[in-house]
Coordinates of all heavy atoms in Angstrom, one line a residue:
M1 N 13.1 72.1 1.5 CA 11.9 71.6 1.9 C 11.3 70.6 1.0 O 10.8 69.5 1.4 CB 10.9 72.7 2.2 CG 9.8 72.0 3.0 SD 9.4 73.0 4.2 CE 8.4 73.7 4.9
A2 N 11.5 70.8 -0.3 CA 11.0 69.9 -1.3 C 11.8 68.7 -1.3 O 11.1 67.6 -1.5 CB 11.2 70.6 -2.7
A3 N 13.0 68.6 -0.9 CA 13.8 67.5 -0.9 C 13.3 66.6 0.3 O 13.2 65.3 0.2 CB 15.2 67.8 -0.6
S4 N 12.9 67.3 1.4 CA 12.5 66.5 2.6 C 11.1 65.8 2.4 O 10.9 64.7 2.8 CB 12.4 67.3 3.9 OG 11.4 68.2 3.7
S5 N 10.2 66.5 1.6 CA 8.9 65.9 1.3 C 9.1 64.8 0.3 O 8.3 63.8 0.4 CB 8.0 67.0 0.7 OG 8.5 67.4 -0.5
S6 N 10.0 64.9 -0.6 CA 10.1 63.8 -1.5 C 10.8 62.5 -0.9 O 10.5 61.4 -1.3 CB 11.0 64.2 -2.8 OG 12.3 64.4 -2.3
N7 N 11.6 62.8 0.1 CA 12.3 61.6 0.8 C 11.2 61.0 1.8 O 11.3 59.7 1.9 CB 13.3 62.1 1.8 CG 14.5 62.4 0.9 OD1 14.7 62.0 -0.3 ND2 15.5 63.3 1.4
A8 N 10.2 61.8 2.2 CA 9.2 61.2 3.0 C 8.2 60.3 2.3 O 7.6 59.3 2.9 CB 8.4 62.3 3.8
S9 N 8.1 60.5 1.0 CA 7.1 59.7 0.2 C 7.8 58.4 -0.3 O 7.1 57.5 -0.7 CB 6.6 60.5 -0.9 OG 7.7 60.8 -1.8
V10 N 9.1 58.2 -0.2 CA 9.8 57.1 -0.6 C 9.8 56.1 0.5 O 10.1 56.4 1.7 CB 11.2 57.4 -1.0 CG1 11.9 56.2 -1.4 CG2 11.2 58.3 -2.1
R11 N 9.2 54.9 0.3 CA 9.2 53.8 1.3 C 10.4 53.1 1.3 O 10.9 52.8 0.2 CB 8.0 53.0 1.1 CG 6.7 53.7 1.2 CD 5.6 52.7 1.2 NE 4.3 53.2 1.3 CZ 3.1 52.7 1.1 NH1 3.1 51.4 0.8 NH2 2.0 53.3 1.3
S12 N 10.9 52.8 2.5 CA 12.1 52.0 2.5 C 11.8 50.5 2.5 O 10.7 50.0 2.9 CB 12.9 52.2 3.8 OG 12.1 52.0 4.9
L13 N 12.5 49.7 1.8 CA 12.3 48.2 1.7 C 12.8 47.6 3.1 O 13.7 48.1 3.7 CB 13.1 47.6 0.6 CG 12.7 48.1 -0.8 CD1 13.6 47.6 -1.8 CD2 11.3 47.7 -1.1
P14 N 12.1 46.5 3.4 CA 12.5 46.0 4.7 C 13.9 45.3 4.6 O 14.3 44.7 3.5 CB 11.5 44.9 5.0 CG 10.8 44.7 3.7 CD 10.9 45.9 2.9
Q15 N 14.7 45.4 5.7 CA 16.1 44.9 5.7 C 16.0 43.4 5.9 O 15.3 43.0 6.8 CB 16.8 45.6 6.6 CG 17.1 47.1 6.3 CD 17.9 47.3 5.0 OE1 18.8 46.6 4.7 NE2 17.5 48.3 4.3
E16 N 16.8 42.6 5.2 CA 16.8 41.2 5.5 C 17.6 40.9 6.7 O 18.7 41.6 7.0 CB 17.4 40.4 4.4 CG 16.5 40.4 3.2 CD 17.1 39.5 2.1 OE1 17.9 38.7 2.3 OE2 16.7 39.7 0.9
S17 N 17.1 40.0 7.6 CA 18.0 39.8 8.8 C 19.1 38.9 8.4 O 19.2 38.2 7.5 CB 17.1 39.1 9.9 OG 16.7 37.9 9.4
A18 N 20.2 39.0 9.3 CA 21.5 38.2 9.0 C 21.3 36.7 9.2 O 21.9 35.9 8.5 CB 22.5 38.7 10.0
N19 N 20.2 36.3 10.0 CA 20.1 35.0 10.2 C 18.9 34.3 9.4 O 18.5 33.2 9.7 CB 19.8 34.6 11.7 CG 18.7 35.3 12.2 OD1 17.9 36.0 11.5 ND2 18.4 35.1 13.6
A20 N 18.5 34.9 8.4 CA 17.5 34.4 7.6 C 17.9 33.3 6.7 O 18.9 33.5 6.1 CB 16.8 35.5 6.6
G21 N 17.3 32.1 6.8 CA 17.7 31.0 6.0 C 17.0 30.9 4.7 O 16.3 31.8 4.3
P22 N 17.0 29.7 4.1 CA 16.4 29.5 2.9 C 14.9 29.4 3.0 O 14.2 29.6 2.0 CB 17.0 28.1 2.3 CG 17.4 27.5 3.5 CD 17.9 28.5 4.6
L23 N 14.4 29.1 4.2 CA 12.9 29.0 4.3 C 12.3 30.4 4.9 O 12.9 31.1 5.6 CB 12.5 28.0 5.5 CG 13.0 26.6 5.2 CD1 12.5 25.7 6.4 CD2 12.1 26.1 4.0
T24 N 11.3 30.8 4.1 CA 10.7 32.1 4.6 C 9.5 31.8 5.4 O 9.1 30.6 5.5 CB 10.2 32.9 3.2 OG1 9.3 32.0 2.6 CG2 11.4 33.1 2.4
A25 N 8.9 32.8 5.9 CA 7.8 32.5 6.9 C 6.6 32.1 6.2 O 5.8 31.3 6.8 CB 7.5 33.9 7.6
S26 N 6.5 32.4 4.9 CA 5.3 31.9 4.2 C 5.5 30.4 3.8 O 4.4 29.8 3.6 CB 5.1 32.7 2.9 OG 6.2 32.5 2.0
M27 N 6.6 29.9 3.8 CA 6.9 28.5 3.5 C 6.8 27.5 4.7 O 6.6 26.4 4.6 CB 8.3 28.3 2.8 CG 8.3 28.9 1.4 SD 10.0 28.7 0.7 CE 10.2 26.9 0.6
M28 N 6.8 28.2 5.8 CA 6.9 27.3 7.0 C 5.6 26.5 7.3 O 5.7 25.3 7.6 CB 7.2 28.1 8.3 CG 8.6 28.5 8.4 SD 9.8 27.1 8.3 CE 9.5 26.5 10.0
P29 N 4.5 27.1 7.1 CA 3.3 26.3 7.3 C 3.2 25.1 6.3 O 2.8 24.0 6.7 CB 2.1 27.2 7.0 CG 2.7 28.5 7.3 CD 4.1 28.5 6.9
F30 N 3.6 25.3 5.0 CA 3.6 24.2 4.1 C 4.6 23.1 4.5 O 4.3 21.9 4.4 CB 4.0 24.7 2.7 CG 4.2 23.6 1.7 CD1 3.0 22.9 1.1 CD2 5.4 23.3 1.1 CE1 3.1 21.9 0.2 CE2 5.5 22.2 0.3 CZ 4.4 21.5 -0.2
E31 N 5.8 23.4 4.8 CA 6.9 22.5 5.3 C 6.3 21.8 6.6 O 6.5 20.5 6.6 CB 8.1 23.2 5.5 CG 8.8 23.9 4.4 CD 9.2 22.9 3.3 OE1 9.6 21.7 3.6 OE2 9.2 23.3 2.1
L32 N 5.8 22.4 7.4 CA 5.3 21.8 8.7 C 4.1 20.8 8.4 O 4.0 19.8 9.0 CB 4.8 22.9 9.7 CG 4.4 22.5 11.0 CD1 5.6 21.8 11.7 CD2 3.9 23.7 11.9
T33 N 3.3 21.2 7.5 CA 2.2 20.3 7.1 C 2.6 19.1 6.4 O 2.2 18.1 6.7 CB 1.2 21.1 6.1 OG1 0.7 22.3 6.7 CG2 0.0 20.2 5.7
V34 N 3.6 19.2 5.5 CA 4.1 18.1 4.8 C 4.9 17.1 5.9 O 4.7 15.9 5.9 CB 5.2 18.5 3.8 CG1 6.0 17.2 3.3 CG2 4.6 19.2 2.7
A35 N 5.6 17.7 6.8 CA 6.4 16.9 7.8 C 5.2 16.3 8.7 O 5.4 15.1 9.1 CB 7.2 17.8 8.7
L36 N 4.2 16.9 9.1 CA 3.2 16.3 10.0 C 2.4 15.2 9.2 O 2.2 14.1 9.8 CB 2.2 17.4 10.4 CG 1.0 17.0 11.2 CD1 1.6 16.5 12.6 CD2 0.1 18.0 11.5
V37 N 2.1 15.4 7.9 CA 1.5 14.3 7.2 C 2.4 13.1 7.1 O 1.9 12.0 7.2 CB 1.0 14.8 5.8 CG1 0.7 13.7 4.9 CG2 -0.1 15.8 6.0
M38 N 3.6 13.3 6.8 CA 4.7 12.2 6.7 C 4.8 11.5 8.0 O 4.7 10.2 8.1 CB 5.9 12.7 6.1 CG 5.9 13.1 4.7 SD 7.5 13.7 4.2 CE 8.5 12.3 4.2
A39 N 4.8 12.1 9.1 CA 5.0 11.6 10.5 C 3.7 10.8 10.9 O 3.7 9.7 11.3 CB 5.2 12.7 11.5
L40 N 2.5 11.3 10.5 CA 1.2 10.5 10.7 C 1.1 9.3 9.8 O 0.6 8.2 10.2 CB 0.0 11.4 10.5 CG -0.3 12.5 11.6 CD1 -1.4 13.4 11.1 CD2 -0.5 11.8 12.9
A41 N 1.5 9.4 8.6 CA 1.5 8.3 7.7 C 2.5 7.2 8.2 O 2.1 6.0 8.1 CB 1.9 8.7 6.3
L42 N 3.6 7.6 8.8 CA 4.5 6.5 9.1 C 3.9 5.9 10.5 O 4.1 4.7 10.7 CB 5.9 7.2 9.5 CG 6.9 6.3 10.1 CD1 7.3 5.2 9.0 CD2 8.2 7.1 10.5
A43 N 3.3 6.7 11.4 CA 2.8 6.2 12.7 C 1.6 5.3 12.4 O 1.5 4.3 13.1 CB 2.3 7.3 13.5
F44 N 0.8 5.5 11.3 CA -0.4 4.6 11.1 C -0.1 3.5 10.2 O -1.1 2.8 9.8 CB -1.5 5.5 10.6 CG -2.1 6.3 11.8 CD1 -2.0 7.7 11.8 CD2 -2.7 5.8 12.8 CE1 -2.6 8.5 12.7 CE2 -3.2 6.5 13.8 CZ -3.1 7.9 13.8
T45 N 1.1 3.4 9.6 CA 1.3 2.3 8.7 C 1.6 1.0 9.5 O 2.3 1.0 10.5 CB 2.7 2.6 7.9 OG1 2.4 3.8 7.2 CG2 3.0 1.4 6.9
L46 N 0.9 0.0 9.2 CA 1.0 -1.2 9.9 C 2.2 -2.1 9.4 O 2.3 -2.3 8.2 CB -0.3 -2.0 9.7 CG -1.5 -1.4 10.3 CD1 -2.7 -2.3 9.9 CD2 -1.4 -1.3 11.8
H47 N 3.1 -2.3 10.3 CA 4.3 -3.2 9.9 C 4.1 -4.5 10.5 O 4.9 -5.0 11.4 CB 5.6 -2.5 10.5 CG 5.8 -1.2 9.9 ND1 6.4 -1.0 8.6 CD2 5.6 0.1 10.3 CE1 6.3 0.3 8.4 NE2 6.0 1.0 9.5
V48 N 3.0 -5.2 10.2 CA 2.7 -6.5 10.7 C 2.9 -7.6 9.7 O 2.4 -7.5 8.6 CB 1.3 -6.6 11.3 CG1 0.9 -7.9 11.9 CG2 1.1 -5.5 12.4
A49 N 3.6 -8.5 9.9 CA 3.8 -9.6 9.0 C 2.6 -10.5 9.1 O 1.9 -10.7 10.0 CB 5.1 -10.4 9.3
E50 N 2.4 -11.3 8.0 CA 1.3 -12.2 8.0 C 1.5 -13.4 9.0 O 2.6 -13.8 9.2 CB 1.2 -12.9 6.6 CG 0.0 -13.7 6.3 CD -0.1 -14.2 4.9 OE1 0.5 -13.8 4.1 OE2 -0.9 -15.0 4.6
P51 N 0.5 -13.7 9.7 CA 0.7 -14.7 10.8 C 1.3 -16.0 10.3 O 2.0 -16.7 11.1 CB -0.7 -14.9 11.4 CG -1.5 -13.7 11.0 CD -0.9 -13.2 9.7
D52 N 0.9 -16.5 9.2 CA 1.4 -17.8 8.7 C 2.6 -17.6 7.8 O 2.9 -18.5 6.8 CB 0.3 -18.6 8.1 CG -0.4 -18.0 7.0 OD1 -0.2 -16.7 6.8 OD2 -1.2 -18.6 6.4
L53 N 3.3 -16.6 7.9 CA 4.5 -16.3 7.1 C 5.6 -17.5 7.0 O 5.9 -17.9 5.9 CB 5.3 -15.0 7.5 CG 6.6 -14.8 6.7 CD1 6.3 -14.5 5.3 CD2 7.4 -13.6 7.6
W54 N 5.9 -17.9 8.2 CA 6.9 -19.0 8.3 C 6.3 -20.4 7.7 O 7.1 -21.2 7.3 CB 7.5 -19.1 9.7 CG 8.1 -17.9 10.0 CD1 7.7 -17.0 11.0 CD2 9.3 -17.3 9.4 NE1 8.6 -15.9 11.0 CE2 9.6 -16.1 10.0 CE3 10.1 -17.7 8.4 CZ2 10.6 -15.3 9.7 CZ3 11.2 -16.8 8.1 CH2 11.3 -15.6 8.7
G55 N 5.0 -20.6 7.8 CA 4.3 -21.7 7.2 C 4.5 -21.6 5.6 O 4.9 -22.6 5.0
H56 N 4.4 -20.4 5.1 CA 4.5 -20.3 3.7 C 6.0 -20.6 3.3 O 6.2 -21.2 2.1 CB 4.2 -18.9 3.2 CG 2.6 -18.7 3.3 ND1 1.7 -19.3 2.5 CD2 1.9 -17.8 4.1 CE1 0.5 -18.9 2.8 NE2 0.6 -18.1 3.8
V57 N 6.9 -20.0 4.1 CA 8.3 -20.3 3.7 C 8.7 -21.8 3.8 O 9.3 -22.3 2.9 CB 9.2 -19.5 4.8 CG1 10.6 -19.9 4.6 CG2 9.0 -18.0 4.6
Q58 N 8.2 -22.5 4.8 CA 8.5 -23.9 4.9 C 7.8 -24.6 3.8 O 8.3 -25.7 3.3 CB 8.0 -24.4 6.3 CG 8.3 -25.9 6.4 CD 9.8 -26.1 6.4 OE1 10.6 -25.3 7.1 NE2 10.3 -27.1 5.7
Y59 N 6.5 -24.5 3.3 CA 5.9 -25.1 2.3 C 6.6 -24.8 0.9 O 6.7 -25.7 0.2 CB 4.3 -24.5 2.1 CG 3.5 -24.9 3.3 CD1 2.6 -24.1 3.8 CD2 3.6 -26.2 3.9 CE1 1.8 -24.4 4.9 CE2 2.8 -26.6 4.9 CZ 2.0 -25.7 5.4 OH 1.1 -25.9 6.5
G60 N 7.1 -23.6 0.8 CA 8.0 -23.3 -0.3 C 9.2 -24.1 -0.4 O 9.7 -24.6 -1.4
R61 N 9.9 -24.2 0.7 CA 11.1 -25.1 0.8 C 10.8 -26.5 0.5 O 11.5 -27.2 -0.2 CB 11.8 -25.0 2.2 CG 12.4 -23.6 2.5 CD 13.0 -23.7 3.9 NE 13.6 -22.4 4.2 CZ 14.1 -22.0 5.4 NH1 13.8 -22.9 6.4 NH2 14.6 -20.9 5.5
D62 N 9.7 -27.0 1.1 CA 9.3 -28.3 0.8 C 9.0 -28.5 -0.7 O 9.4 -29.6 -1.2 CB 8.0 -28.8 1.7 CG 8.4 -28.8 3.1 OD1 9.5 -28.9 3.5 OD2 7.4 -28.9 3.9
A63 N 8.4 -27.7 -1.3 CA 8.0 -27.7 -2.7 C 9.4 -27.9 -3.6 O 9.4 -28.5 -4.6 CB 7.1 -26.7 -3.2
L64 N 10.4 -27.0 -3.2 CA 11.6 -27.1 -3.8 C 12.3 -28.4 -3.7 O 13.0 -28.9 -4.6 CB 12.5 -25.9 -3.4 CG 12.1 -24.5 -4.0 CD1 13.0 -23.5 -3.4 CD2 12.1 -24.4 -5.4
T65 N 12.3 -28.9 -2.5 CA 13.1 -30.3 -2.3 C 12.3 -31.4 -2.6 O 13.0 -32.4 -3.2 CB 13.6 -30.2 -0.7 OG1 12.3 -30.2 0.1 CG2 14.5 -29.1 -0.4
D66 N 11.0 -31.5 -2.3 CA 10.3 -32.7 -2.4 C 9.2 -32.7 -3.5 O 8.5 -33.7 -3.7 CB 9.6 -33.2 -1.2 CG 10.7 -33.3 0.0 OD1 11.8 -33.7 -0.3 OD2 10.2 -33.0 1.2
G67 N 9.0 -31.6 -4.1 CA 8.0 -31.5 -5.1 C 6.7 -31.0 -4.3 O 6.7 -30.8 -3.2
L68 N 5.6 -30.8 -5.1 CA 4.3 -30.3 -4.6 C 3.7 -31.5 -3.7 O 3.5 -32.5 -4.2 CB 3.3 -29.9 -5.6 CG 3.9 -28.6 -6.4 CD1 3.0 -28.4 -7.6 CD2 4.1 -27.5 -5.6
A69 N 3.2 -31.1 -2.6 CA 2.6 -32.1 -1.6 C 1.1 -32.2 -2.0 O 0.4 -31.2 -2.5 CB 2.7 -31.6 -0.2
T70 N 0.6 -33.5 -2.0 CA -0.8 -33.8 -2.3 C -1.6 -34.1 -0.9 O -2.8 -34.1 -1.0 CB -0.9 -34.9 -3.2 OG1 -0.2 -36.1 -2.5 CG2 -0.2 -34.6 -4.5
T71 N -0.9 -34.2 0.2 CA -1.6 -34.4 1.5 C -1.0 -33.3 2.5 O 0.0 -32.8 2.2 CB -1.3 -35.9 2.0 OG1 0.0 -36.0 2.3 CG2 -1.9 -37.0 1.1
T72 N -1.7 -33.2 3.5 CA -1.3 -32.2 4.6 C 0.0 -32.8 5.2 O 0.2 -33.9 5.4 CB -2.4 -32.1 5.6 OG1 -2.6 -33.4 6.2 CG2 -3.7 -31.6 5.2
T73 N 0.8 -31.7 5.3 CA 2.2 -32.1 5.8 C 2.5 -31.6 7.2 O 3.2 -32.3 8.0 CB 3.2 -31.5 4.8 OG1 3.0 -30.1 4.8 CG2 3.2 -32.1 3.5
Y74 N 1.9 -30.6 7.6 CA 2.2 -30.1 9.0 C 0.9 -30.0 9.8 O 0.8 -29.0 10.4 CB 2.8 -28.7 8.8 CG 4.2 -28.9 8.3 CD1 4.5 -28.5 7.0 CD2 5.3 -29.4 9.0 CE1 5.8 -28.7 6.4 CE2 6.6 -29.6 8.5 CZ 6.8 -29.2 7.1 OH 7.9 -29.4 6.6
S75 N 0.1 -30.9 9.8 CA -1.2 -30.9 10.5 C -1.2 -32.0 11.5 O -0.9 -33.2 11.2 CB -2.4 -31.1 9.6 OG -3.6 -31.2 10.2
Y76 N -1.6 -31.6 12.8 CA -1.6 -32.6 13.8 C -3.1 -33.3 13.9 O -3.3 -34.3 14.6 CB -1.3 -32.1 15.1 CG -2.3 -31.0 15.7 CD1 -3.3 -31.3 16.5 CD2 -2.0 -29.6 15.3 CE1 -4.2 -30.3 16.9 CE2 -2.9 -28.7 15.8 CZ -3.9 -29.0 16.5 OH -4.8 -28.1 17.0
S77 N -4.1 -32.6 13.2 CA -5.4 -33.2 13.4 C -5.9 -33.8 12.0 O -6.9 -34.6 12.1 CB -6.4 -32.2 13.8 OG -6.4 -31.1 12.8
A78 N -5.3 -33.6 10.9 CA -5.7 -34.1 9.6 C -4.6 -34.6 8.9 O -4.4 -34.5 7.8 CB -6.5 -33.1 8.9
E79 N -3.8 -35.4 9.5 CA -2.6 -36.0 8.9 C -2.9 -36.9 7.8 O -3.8 -37.8 8.0 CB -1.7 -36.7 9.9 CG -0.4 -37.2 9.4 CD 0.4 -37.9 10.5 OE1 0.2 -37.7 11.7 OE2 1.5 -38.4 10.1
G80 N -2.3 -36.8 6.7 CA -2.6 -37.6 5.4 C -3.8 -37.1 4.7 O -4.1 -37.8 3.7
Y81 N -4.5 -36.2 5.1 CA -5.9 -35.7 4.3 C -5.4 -35.0 3.1 O -4.3 -34.3 2.9 CB -6.5 -34.7 5.3 CG -7.9 -34.3 4.7 CD1 -9.0 -35.2 4.9 CD2 -8.1 -33.1 4.1 CE1 -10.2 -34.8 4.4 CE2 -9.2 -32.7 3.7 CZ -10.3 -33.6 3.8 OH -11.6 -33.2 3.3
P82 N -6.1 -35.4 2.0 CA -5.8 -34.7 0.7 C -5.8 -33.2 0.8 O -6.7 -32.6 1.4 CB -6.9 -35.3 -0.3 CG -7.4 -36.5 0.4 CD -7.3 -36.3 1.8
W83 N -4.9 -32.6 0.2 CA -4.7 -31.1 0.4 C -4.2 -30.5 -0.9 O -3.1 -31.0 -1.3 CB -4.0 -30.9 1.7 CG -3.6 -29.4 1.9 CD1 -4.6 -28.4 2.2 CD2 -2.3 -28.7 1.9 NE1 -3.8 -27.2 2.4 CE2 -2.4 -27.4 2.2 CE3 -1.0 -29.2 1.6 CZ2 -1.4 -26.6 2.2 CZ3 0.1 -28.3 1.7 CH2 -0.2 -27.0 2.0
V84 N -4.7 -29.4 -1.3 CA -4.2 -28.6 -2.4 C -3.8 -27.3 -1.8 O -4.5 -26.5 -1.3 CB -5.2 -28.5 -3.6 CG1 -4.6 -27.6 -4.6 CG2 -5.7 -29.9 -4.0
N85 N -2.5 -27.0 -2.0 CA -2.0 -25.7 -1.5 C -2.3 -24.7 -2.6 O -1.7 -24.6 -3.7 CB -0.5 -25.7 -1.3 CG 0.1 -24.4 -0.7 OD1 -0.8 -23.4 -0.5 ND2 1.3 -24.4 -0.3
H86 N -3.2 -23.9 -2.5 CA -3.6 -22.9 -3.5 C -2.8 -21.8 -3.7 O -3.0 -21.0 -4.5 CB -5.1 -22.5 -3.3 CG -5.2 -21.7 -2.0 ND1 -5.4 -22.3 -0.7 CD2 -5.2 -20.4 -1.8 CE1 -5.4 -21.2 0.2 NE2 -5.4 -20.1 -0.4
E87 N -1.8 -21.7 -2.9 CA -0.7 -20.6 -3.0 C 0.6 -21.1 -3.4 O 1.7 -20.5 -3.1 CB -0.6 -19.8 -1.6 CG -2.0 -19.3 -1.1 CD -1.9 -18.7 0.2 OE1 -1.0 -19.0 1.0 OE2 -2.6 -17.8 0.5
N88 N 0.6 -22.1 -4.1 CA 1.9 -22.8 -4.6 C 2.8 -21.8 -5.4 O 3.9 -21.6 -5.1 CB 1.7 -24.0 -5.5 CG 1.4 -25.3 -4.7 OD1 2.0 -25.3 -3.6 ND2 0.6 -26.2 -5.1
L89 N 2.2 -21.1 -6.3 CA 3.0 -20.2 -7.1 C 3.6 -19.0 -6.4 O 4.6 -18.4 -6.8 CB 2.2 -19.6 -8.3 CG 1.8 -20.7 -9.3 CD1 0.8 -20.2 -10.4 CD2 3.0 -21.3 -9.9
S90 N 3.0 -18.6 -5.2 CA 3.5 -17.5 -4.4 C 4.5 -17.9 -3.4 O 5.0 -17.0 -2.7 CB 2.3 -16.7 -3.8 OG 1.7 -17.6 -2.8
E91 N 4.8 -19.2 -3.3 CA 5.6 -19.7 -2.2 C 7.0 -20.0 -2.7 O 7.2 -20.5 -3.8 CB 5.0 -20.8 -1.4 CG 3.8 -20.4 -0.7 CD 3.2 -21.5 0.1 OE1 3.3 -22.7 -0.3 OE2 2.6 -21.2 1.1

């Protein structure tokens, strides 16, 4: 009888299931939170190019071939007007 009472006081450890992977139940909320934050960051990231991107590209090409322009080059309303391209170094 002493043997049965000592066996009753010993707790058994939970058995690991055969399909348990590297993630535990305590890690799932963290992993899910990280995945959700990354998905939201990707969804709300604006992938919009600057509207005058191709103008900047063309002005850069013109600066390489003809030098820096001193008058407007691609204007239909102010042709020949003195103009300083303040973004020369970035083009």
Side-chain angles (χ1 to χ4, degrees):
M1 193 138 130
S4 65
S5 65
S6 66
N7 286 340
S9 65
V10 175
R11 293 184 178 176
S12 62
L13 297 174
Q15 298 294 324
E16 293 184 23
S17 63
N19 60 358
L23 298 176
T24 62
S26 64
M27 290 176 63
M28 285 303 286
F30 174 74
E31 299 292 329
L32 186 61
T33 302
V34 169
L36 181 64
V37 167
M38 290 177 67
L40 288 173
L42 181 65
F44 288 114
T45 301
L46 298 177
H47 297 286
V48 179
E50 188 175 348
D52 56 349
L53 170 69
W54 298 111
H56 291 296
V57 171
Q58 187 61 44
Y59 294 138
R61 287 180 182 169
D62 290 347
L64 287 175
T65 58
D66 303 327
L68 298 176
T70 58
T71 61
T72 57
T73 51
Y74 295 103
S75 173
Y76 64 91
S77 64
E79 187 175 348
Y81 187 78
W83 175 65
V84 176
N85 186 358
H86 64 278
E87 298 177 338
N88 277 329
L89 295 178
S90 64
E91 295 182 330

